[in-house]
Amino acid sequence: MPLHHAVLALLTRRPNHGYELKARFEEAIGPQWGGLNIGHLYQILERLVRDGYVSRSQVTQTDRPDKNLYTLTEAGEAELRSWATTAWVRVGGFRDELFLKLLGASALGPQALTALIESQRQTYLAELAGLARQRRAHAAEPLVAVLIDAAIAHTKADLGLLDSAAQHLGPLATAQGAQAPERAQALDGTDEAGGHGGTRGSRRESA
């Protein structure tokens, strides 16, 4: 539950209420992660309180409704330390839609594969240009800069993947393309057979 632990990390500095945590998370992580839904954040806080990792107290305010203040407990700090010092292991595999698109383009033949690869290449290059601008804008924010560097590295790796796809899938796409006229001819033959059969049937009915 990585977001739960990120909230614990933010609470190591000082107690916070919900909207402060939301703002601090988005400031610390930067644009690469995206915004944090406040409703989801309060669900996370409720679970952390329930598990004993965070305590909740109410702060009275004279000019506005009372607010809940969340404080990291000793159990919460121990949980954070256990999680933060353990290596991350990927468990979900690489379920990128690009791989499904490569499947579809390969089935359509070499022209479709080339069109996809070149279109995707231009998309990645545009992403790299945008990431470079973000990197310059966030150079003074260490964690945000690290996340942008990771995005740049991933995008460069994706560009290399396109070269690998062209090399390995090119022969498959060519073979699929060579079979296309045979498939089209088979479909035409089926249509013609169906049409002739329908004609014969009409003649028998009229007879």
Side-chain angles (χ1 to χ4, degrees):
M1 50 180 184
L3 284 178
H4 296 66
H5 291 98
V7 171
L8 294 178
L10 292 173
L11 289 173
T12 57
R13 292 177 57 186
R14 64 178 184 272
N16 275 131
H17 62 75
Y19 280 94
E20 288 175 335
L21 285 169
K22 171 179 164 61
R24 289 183 59 208
F25 176 87
E26 292 172 354
E27 179 183 0
I29 299 299
Q32 283 306 303
W33 188 279
L36 181 59
N37 180 275
I38 189 65
H40 186 206
L41 174 58
Y42 278 119
Q43 290 177 356
I44 290 173
L45 288 167
E46 284 294 326
R47 180 172 176 180
L48 291 174
V49 170
R50 183 195 68 196
D51 292 343
Y53 297 148
V54 167
S55 64
R56 176 171 51 207
S57 59
Q58 199 167 66
V59 178
T60 303
Q61 301 185 109
T62 57
D63 58 341
R64 63 187 65 184
D66 296 347
K67 65 179 180 181
N68 289 318
L69 195 65
Y70 297 91
T71 303
L72 185 69
T73 65
E74 290 185 6
E77 183 174 355
E79 171 65 20
L80 173 63
R81 187 174 302 279
S82 174
W83 171 80
T85 57
T86 304
W88 172 70
V89 179
R90 187 186 304 277
V91 295
F94 293 90
R95 298 180 63 176
D96 195 318
E97 185 179 348
L98 175 61
F99 296 113
L100 300 181
K101 285 182 175 287
L102 288 169
L103 170 67
S106 298
L108 293 173
Q111 290 183 336
L113 179 63
T114 298
L116 169 63
I117 288 175
E118 290 310 310
S119 174
Q120 194 67 48
R121 191 185 309 278
Q122 294 306 311
T123 298
Y124 285 150
L125 290 172
E127 287 181 5
L128 281 174
L131 288 168
R133 290 191 294 270
Q134 286 187 13
R135 184 65 174 81
R136 291 191 294 271
H138 296 279
E141 303 167 70
L143 181 57
V144 178
V146 167
L147 292 178
I148 295 173
D149 285 344
I152 290 172
H154 277 289
T155 306
K156 287 181 176 179
D158 288 336
L159 273 170
L161 171 67
L162 294 179
D163 294 332
S164 176
Q167 176 184 354
H168 293 289
L169 297 178
L172 174 62
T174 300
Q176 294 281 13
Q179 294 176 5
E182 298 177 8
R183 290 195 296 269
Q185 185 177 3
L187 288 173
D188 289 342
T190 300
D191 292 341
E192 290 175 4
H196 292 158
T199 302
R200 288 193 294 269
S202 298
R203 288 175 181 171
R204 284 196 294 271
E205 290 174 1
S206 61

